[in-house]
Each structure stands twice: as structure tokens, then as C-alpha cells.
Amino acid sequence: MPKLLYARPPADAEEERQIRKLAGARHAPADWIMRAQMIVFSWQGLRTSAIAAKLGCHMQTVRERIERFNTEGLPRARRPARGRPQTTHHRARTRAAHRAGPLDPARTAGPRRGRGPGRRR
């Protein structure tokens, strides 16, 4: 028989206020709201199967989010899901350009090109 899993009680009144406020929010990322609702429903005594049915997700998802909250607290419970890592190609090119130093003065201080006074086409 699976072990019953419930969210730990709030550490303090501030944590409880934050989670309840987030659970009822309308202008926050949907995954944060859903995770906060999972915790609040768990505090109300609902089992993972009932929470999953109410929120329209899988029971394992509810278990994982509650376990994460129990071990790491609210900031980690709001962590986004891992996805494709960002590329560092642009950062690497920028760092290489900074390491190379300023451009050659002879190249940057040369004569102006283009149309100006006294120039003909």
C-alpha cells in the first residue's frame, strides 16, 4: 500500500500567507499557482489522488511537488521544470571579444570614408 503523503505544516505565518496568496492569484505563472494549490489542498487533508483529480494532473506530479515542498520549501517548489538548456554561444563570443582587447587603433582612426565635403562620386 502506498504511503500517504501530505505537505508539511507552514514554517511560519508568512510562508502560509505567501502560499495561500499564490494559490488564489490570477496574475502569476500557471505552474506556480498550481503548485501552491497542491500544497493548500494537502493542508486541507486531501489525498494526492483527490488533488490530482481536482487540478487535472497526474498523481505522481502531485507527489513530486509536495515532496519538493517538504524538503526544499516554497522557493524551490516554484522552480520551473527543467527543459532544454540555454545556449552559451553568444556569451562565449562576447567574452572572446572582450579578452581580445580594444580594436587596432590604426584601423579605427583611419580616414573617413563616404560622401562628405569635397568628395565626388
Side-chain angles (χ1 to χ4, degrees):
M1 183 169 176
K3 181 180 139 190
L4 295 178
L5 180 67
Y6 294 102
R8 65 165 172 75
D12 55 6
E14 178 62 22
E15 184 181 55
E16 182 176 7
R17 186 192 68 77
Q18 281 183 328
I19 293 171
R20 290 191 186 277
K21 183 178 178 182
L22 186 58
R26 298 173 76 65
H27 299 289
D31 56 335
W32 290 11
I33 294 171
M34 190 172 181
R35 290 171 186 172
Q37 288 173 343
M38 288 177 191
I39 295 166
V40 171
F41 288 146
S42 179
W43 285 344
Q44 293 172 356
L46 292 174
R47 292 186 174 190
T48 54
S49 57
I51 295 170
K54 203 167 197 171
L55 296 176
C57 62
H58 198 273
M59 291 186 305
Q60 186 62 35
T61 305
V62 176
R63 281 190 213 102
E64 289 171 0
R65 300 307 179 261
I66 290 175
E67 285 175 1
R68 182 183 294 169
F69 173 74
N70 287 344
T71 58
E72 301 175 17
L74 178 64
R76 303 315 299 175
R78 293 194 307 196
R79 181 177 63 197
R82 294 178 188 249
R84 181 178 176 169
Q86 293 182 352
T87 60
T88 57
H89 177 71
H90 176 70
R91 284 190 216 139
R93 282 190 348 198
T94 306
R95 285 190 199 123
H98 284 292
R99 277 190 225 119
L103 294 175
D104 182 27
R107 243 179 77 198
T108 59
R112 285 185 25 192
R113 298 180 187 209
R115 300 185 89 177
R119 298 222 179 220
R120 292 188 182 184
R121 194 167 194 203

